[in-house]
Amino acid sequence: RDRHRRIRAMALARQVLCLSAFLWLPLARAEPIRYSVAEEAESGSVVGELADDAGLTPAQLSARRARLVSEDGRQHFRLERASGRLVVAARLDREELCAQSDTCMLPFELLLSNPLQFFRVEVTLDDINDHSPVFPEERVTFDILETSMPGSLFPLEVAQDFDIGSNTVQEYTIAPENEYFKLSYGSRITGRKYLELVLEKPLDREEQADMEFRLIAVDGGSPARSGTTQVKIVILDVNDNAPIFTQEEYTGHVLENMPEGSVVLTVQATDQDAGINGDISYQISQAVGQSDSAFVIDPITGEIKITKPLDYEAAQMHEFSVRATDGGGLSAICKVLVEVVDVNDNAPELVVSSFSSPLPENTVPGTVVALFTVRDRDSGANGKISCALEDQLFFSLRPAYKNYYELVTVSALDREETPQYVLRVTAADAGSPPLTSTHTFSVDISDVNDNAPVFNQTSYTMYVRENNVGTVFVGAVSAADADVGLNAKVSYSLAAEQGPERARCSCISVNSENGHVFVLRPLDYEHLRQSEVTVSASDAGSPPLRANVTVRLVVLDENDNAPLVLYPAQESSPAWSELVPVSAEAGYLISKVVAVDADSGQNSWLSYHLLRATDPGLFSVGLQSGEVRLRRPVTERDSVKQKLLVLVRDNGQPPLSATAALSALLLKDFSDVRLPHASPATEDQDASLTTYLILALVFVSLLFLVSTAVLLARKVCRRKELKAGHVLYAADTLQSGLAHAAAAGTLPRPYCYEISLTTGSGNSEFRFLKPILPSLSPQHCAVGQGPDEEQDFPAVPVSAEDMAPDSAGTLSAGQFNTL
């Protein structure tokens, strides 16, 4: 009975909480959805069409993850998402859930997500007659004095029926019928029910010392149920005063944390009889099956003590009866109510309904991460809960409704900065001292491809020696990506250059996996000194992100080119000779060897050495300048024709070299000869043109010699006799010979032969052959001077041996040089 009273009190408290929830529920509809179902309904019994009554379709229930949430966490009903029906989850016992409350209502919420929405649902549990009346005691014994007067009342404990309404006890009967006693039952003004035996006529112990009969309690159910107790009447003598309690009902209060043995209250009864008939003893009357009472009474003093710790959350009120019996067998009954006072001995509880982890790092602020509820089994201020989140810049708590809270994001997340957030939610009640509980949420942040690869250098410079082997490794580029997984997997490639001026070099390749850079073919420093390509690093995200870097390939020179002699030209034929006057002093500049090297650096540093000469002591070569000078004055013993071989060597390792051959003619009385300087245009004439000019000059020279011989024969009388086989040619003789040749018709018109014998000549000693203008006479032509100036050329003695033609009938190059 006490247990059912506690359950009834809990049900009343839940009803009050439910009413508060409906008043303060902003997200739920104003009126709850109500159903009723009979207790003891089988599992799966249909309660109602919840989806239709809530204005939802079964598809919406599944899509929005509909679920039922109750305050105590117990699921009495189940939602069929496919049909939208509310069915019984397990057998329901109204007496277990609501004790003897007049109404038994099971409230819960229909919770929907995306968006969050609540529907309040109330199911009333209808009572059925499934309990029989039960008397507190299976056997009751009354010791009644034979002197008892008719009309004497003997109180009985009423039968308890856990059902309500018409299903509870409606009447009491005695079986078999007894002539001495009848029953009287009803309710007093205080509302307390009573049941009494009424003595109908005087007792005679000598006629009948005792009697027994059954007391039957019948409820109003259909079919009716009944309960019985055995009543025994023992007839005594002389004791005509029963004990009387000072109070009909005793009420006590006890803290739930009171230790065992603590006195709750003391009951007291008096008896006017004396002696043994006035001695009173106390005992607690317990209902059937309640042998583990939390209370014990001292039979002498009437002190009621607790035998085990009390729990306010299990039962807020304890109700029992105390019987006082005197020595003559007379007794009295009082009611004892013990109210348990709540103590803050329960910490708040946090129950998570949903939790999302991991979260993408691009989650927008305001996203719900977790939904949870907090509850405290204490009451009053001890059950009032507040929640707080430890210092966080990225998450916050947001009340949903009632005791529900949402954990939401408040700012953008960055996995690269914080891959995991450990969130501690602390729930505290308002007790004194307050109790707290902490729940930890570990929120992992999943990666999003929001970081492009980053090279470890802003640009790369790599070096390779020319004449390298094919596919040579020259360096590596490296890029890192702050993302993870595929978003951080970097591949490398050559980026296409924009515009024709930035065409990609086909000689460079990059490994897509590790960024190694290779040169695919041999390179020539003289053709390609450096090249630039753009390497792109791309991750494997979707869409992929990329970054570019410039790679500069520098080709290093090797000594693979020998010096090239530009002057004197080595391929010219015949080789020219430099004219050196025999009067030249030491240091006289004869010629200069000019050479270049296609390499660079020290590989192109050239030095000049005299390798071989007709008279090595006569000449010197400048080590750095290549100038060929006289080391000493010319003597009579020196050969007229001097040949020199100059070695040109670079500074490479190993060094490469080339040679330049020169010829020099030592001439007497030649120090005042002014030789014309070659123009830059003439020095660049093609070698083939020089060959043709030489041939033409040979032909014209033959004609000239024939003409000269004729003139000599005619004027032999006027000439001096030749000395020592030498012939002297003068300017007037040459002019008259030319005029005679022109008059004889061997030449179409007069020609002036201009002979260049400078050391700067690059192709031939003969520069050009110009026709003389018709207005000029032969006297205006001079050998060895330009067209704009006139100068007499002194006579040069030439030996007959030098003038003699060779076997082919032509003059040698040395003879032309002499001319």
Side-chain angles (χ1 to χ4, degrees):
R1 183 177 59 186
D2 296 337
R3 171 173 163 271
H4 289 296
R5 289 175 180 172
R6 292 194 302 269
I7 294 174
R8 180 170 56 188
M10 292 175 63
L12 291 175
R14 282 198 300 269
Q15 290 177 4
V16 173
L17 292 174
C18 293
L19 180 59
S20 301
F22 280 112
L23 294 175
W24 299 100
L25 190 60
L27 300 178
R29 43 184 264 171
E31 289 296 327
I33 302 173
R34 294 186 174 91
Y35 300 100
S36 63
V37 64
E39 69 171 329
E40 305 296 336
E42 293 296 328
S43 176
S45 301
V46 178
V47 179
E49 299 293 335
L50 182 57
D52 293 341
D53 297 336
L56 302 170
T57 63
Q60 289 177 316
L61 295 179
S62 299
R64 298 178 64 181
R65 297 179 298 191
R67 62 182 184 278
L68 303 181
V69 180
S70 61
E71 296 176 357
D72 57 1
R74 300 173 60 187
Q75 297 294 334
H76 302 297
F77 303 93
R78 187 175 71 254
L79 176 63
E80 293 182 350
R81 292 185 179 179
S83 60
R85 295 182 298 181
L86 182 67
V87 298
V88 176
R91 188 182 67 84
L92 302 175
D93 187 354
R94 191 199 67 82
E95 288 73 24
E96 179 182 351
L97 297 174
C98 302
Q100 288 183 293
S101 301
D102 293 336
T103 59
C104 183
M105 183 181 65
L106 301 178
F108 56 91
E109 291 82 30
L110 172 61
L111 177 62
L112 301 173
S113 301
N114 301 322
L116 183 65
Q117 188 177 6
F118 303 89
F119 293 89
R120 186 71 175 175
V121 182
E122 295 177 355
V123 178
T124 302
L125 200 58
D126 297 331
D127 181 61
I128 63 173
N129 191 24
D130 59 339
H131 293 86
S132 299
V134 177
F135 285 93
E137 300 176 352
E138 294 180 342
R139 186 179 182 86
V140 179
T141 300
F142 289 95
D143 295 332
I144 302 176
L145 294 172
E146 61 179 352
T147 58
S148 298
M149 298 300 294
S152 298
L153 302 177
F154 302 95
L156 294 168
E157 291 286 343
V158 297
Q160 298 291 329
D161 194 330
F162 294 145
D163 298 323
I164 61 172
S166 61
N167 293 327
T168 191
V169 177
Q170 300 296 320
E171 63 178 352
Y172 296 89
T173 59
I174 295 176
E177 292 184 358
N178 190 292
E179 61 179 335
Y180 291 97
F181 297 93
K182 70 173 184 179
L183 291 174
S184 174
Y185 60 92
S187 299
R188 301 188 187 278
I189 298 176
T190 59
R192 181 172 175 270
K193 293 181 179 181
Y194 68 92
L195 175 64
E196 297 173 335
L197 281 176
V198 181
L199 183 61
E200 286 288 301
K201 66 177 186 177
L203 299 174
D204 188 1
R205 180 185 172 278
E206 287 71 23
E207 181 180 350
Q208 188 175 0
D210 56 61
M211 62 184 71
E212 289 186 11
F213 50 87
R214 290 182 296 114
L215 179 62
I216 302 173
V218 182
D219 62 22
S222 179
R225 292 176 176 265
S226 63
T228 62
T229 185
Q230 194 72 23
V231 179
K232 182 179 180 181
I233 304 297
V234 178
I235 301 173
L236 302 176
D237 289 333
V238 186
N239 189 19
D240 57 347
N241 289 289
I244 299 174
F245 283 97
T246 57
Q247 295 177 216
E248 184 178 355
E249 184 175 295
Y250 290 86
T251 302
H253 299 82
V254 59
L255 297 175
E256 64 175 335
N257 62 350
M258 290 287 287
E260 296 179 14
S262 299
V263 177
V264 178
L265 56 86
T266 302
V267 297
Q268 185 178 8
T270 61
D271 195 328
Q272 296 180 2
D273 295 327
I276 192 172
N277 293 326
D279 295 334
I280 300 174
S281 63
Y282 302 93
Q283 63 181 3
I284 294 177
S285 298
Q286 296 179 351
V288 177
Q290 291 187 351
S291 60
D292 57 341
S293 174
F295 302 91
V296 65
I297 189 169
D298 190 306
I300 303 302
T301 64
E303 290 182 345
I304 300 175
K305 301 178 181 179
I306 57 176
T307 60
K308 60 182 180 181
L310 303 179
D311 189 0
Y312 174 85
E313 288 69 35
Q316 292 87 27
M317 184 74 70
H318 295 271
E319 180 181 346
F320 54 92
S321 298
V322 175
R323 180 183 291 275
T325 305
D326 61 16
L330 297 180
S331 65
I333 296 177
C334 72
K335 182 178 180 181
V336 177
L337 296 176
V338 178
E339 181 180 354
V340 181
V341 178
D342 182 50
V343 175
N344 190 26
D345 60 343
N346 291 279
E349 299 176 3
L350 191 149
V351 181
V352 179
S353 299
S354 65
F355 175 56
S356 299
S357 179
L359 287 178
E361 62 178 328
N362 61 351
T363 299
V364 297
T367 300
V368 178
V369 179
L371 175 66
F372 61 91
T373 182
V374 291
R375 61 189 180 191
D376 195 320
R377 298 176 62 192
D378 297 323
S379 63
N382 296 331
K384 187 176 181 181
I385 306 171
S386 60
C387 283
L389 179 65
E390 289 186 6
D391 294 342
Q392 267 293 332
L393 300 176
F394 301 92
F395 299 85
S396 69
L397 287 180
R398 183 173 67 189
Y401 87 102
K402 205 173 179 181
N403 289 332
Y404 281 89
Y405 291 86
E406 292 176 338
L407 181 64
V408 299
T409 61
V410 296
S411 60
L413 306 176
D414 187 0
R415 188 207 64 80
E416 288 70 32
E417 181 177 335
T418 307
Q420 184 186 62
Y421 292 89
V422 179
L423 311 177
R424 293 180 176 84
V425 178
T426 300
D429 59 27
S432 180
L435 298 180
T436 61
S437 61
T438 301
H439 187 87
T440 300
F441 294 90
S442 294
V443 182
D444 295 321
I445 308 302
S446 60
D447 185 57
V448 174
N449 191 27
D450 58 346
N451 288 278
V454 178
F455 285 93
N456 58 3
Q457 296 179 210
T458 56
S459 63
Y460 294 83
T461 300
M462 301 177 183
Y463 299 90
V464 62
R465 290 192 174 276
E466 68 173 335
N467 304 320
N468 57 285
V469 297
T471 317
V472 63
F473 172 78
V474 294
V477 296
S478 178
D481 197 315
D483 296 321
V484 295
L486 289 177
N487 296 332
K489 185 177 181 181
V490 179
S491 60
Y492 305 88
S493 62
L494 292 178
E497 302 292 346
Q498 300 295 328
E501 68 281 357
R502 293 293 302 275
R504 191 173 70 187
C505 179
S506 60
C507 62
I508 299 176
S509 175
V510 62
N511 189 298
S512 62
E513 295 294 331
N514 52 29
H516 287 182
V517 179
F518 297 89
V519 175
L520 301 179
R521 57 181 174 82
L523 300 180
D524 187 1
Y525 173 84
E526 287 68 34
H527 291 85
L528 179 67
R529 298 198 173 187
Q530 72 175 19
S531 178
E532 287 187 0
V533 295
T534 300
V535 176
S536 176
S538 175
D539 59 27
S542 179
L545 300 179
R546 67 182 67 249
N548 294 334
V549 70
T550 299
V551 176
R552 180 180 294 104
L553 179 66
V554 178
V555 182
L556 301 178
D557 181 55
E558 286 190 346
N559 192 27
D560 60 341
N561 289 279
L564 175 63
V565 178
L566 299 180
Y567 182 85
Q570 301 301 298
E571 68 278 4
S572 62
S573 181
W576 62 75
S577 297
E578 301 293 342
L579 301 181
V580 179
V582 295
S583 60
E585 300 293 334
Y588 178 84
L589 176 61
I590 300 172
S591 181
K592 180 176 182 179
V593 178
V594 179
V596 294
D597 196 319
D599 297 323
S600 65
Q602 67 177 7
N603 294 330
S604 64
W605 297 350
L606 302 180
S607 61
Y608 302 85
H609 310 272
L610 182 61
L611 184 62
R612 192 168 57 246
T614 303
D615 188 354
L618 182 60
F619 304 95
S620 66
V621 179
L623 181 64
Q624 303 297 331
S625 62
E627 294 178 347
V628 181
R629 297 178 180 270
L630 288 178
R631 176 176 292 181
R632 58 177 176 77
V634 180
T635 63
E636 293 293 333
R637 294 188 301 272
D638 295 328
S639 176
V640 176
K641 294 182 179 181
Q642 296 285 339
K643 290 186 178 181
L644 295 86
L645 187 63
V646 178
L647 176 69
V648 182
R649 183 171 58 194
D650 60 25
N651 198 35
Q653 293 294 331
L656 300 178
S657 61
T659 58
L662 293 90
S663 295
L665 292 179
L666 304 180
L667 302 180
K668 296 179 180 180
D669 298 329
F670 211 112
S671 58
D672 295 333
V673 176
R674 296 177 60 186
L675 301 177
H677 297 281
S679 63
T682 304
E683 292 178 355
D684 295 334
Q685 289 178 353
D686 191 81
S688 61
L689 179 59
T690 303
T691 302
Y692 293 129
L693 289 175
I694 292 174
L695 294 176
L697 184 58
V698 169
F699 178 73
V700 173
S701 298
L702 290 175
L703 295 179
F704 174 74
L705 291 175
V706 172
S707 301
T708 303
V710 173
L711 291 175
L712 290 175
R714 291 180 61 183
K715 297 183 179 182
V716 68
C717 59
R718 291 181 295 175
R719 285 291 201 181
K720 295 181 180 181
E721 192 172 333
L722 292 174
K723 297 178 180 180
H726 288 81
V727 180
L728 183 63
Y729 290 89
D732 56 344
T733 307
L734 181 61
Q735 291 175 1
S736 62
L738 290 175
H740 182 276
T746 58
L747 293 175
R749 52 183 172 176
Y751 274 76
C752 181
Y753 293 86
E754 182 175 318
I755 302 172
S756 176
L757 298 177
T758 63
T759 58
S761 174
N763 294 321
S764 174
E765 290 79 1
F766 298 98
R767 288 296 173 223
F768 48 84
L769 184 62
K770 295 183 180 180
I772 300 176
L773 296 177
S775 59
L776 295 177
S777 63
Q779 287 79 7
H780 290 92
C781 289
V783 179
Q785 63 188 41
D788 297 329
E789 55 181 321
E790 296 182 0
Q791 182 177 347
D792 292 333
F793 191 79
V796 179
V798 181
S799 65
E801 180 182 347
D802 292 335
M803 291 299 296
D806 58 12
S807 59
T810 60
L811 296 177
S812 65
Q815 295 167 346
F816 282 114
N817 287 337
T818 303
L819 291 175

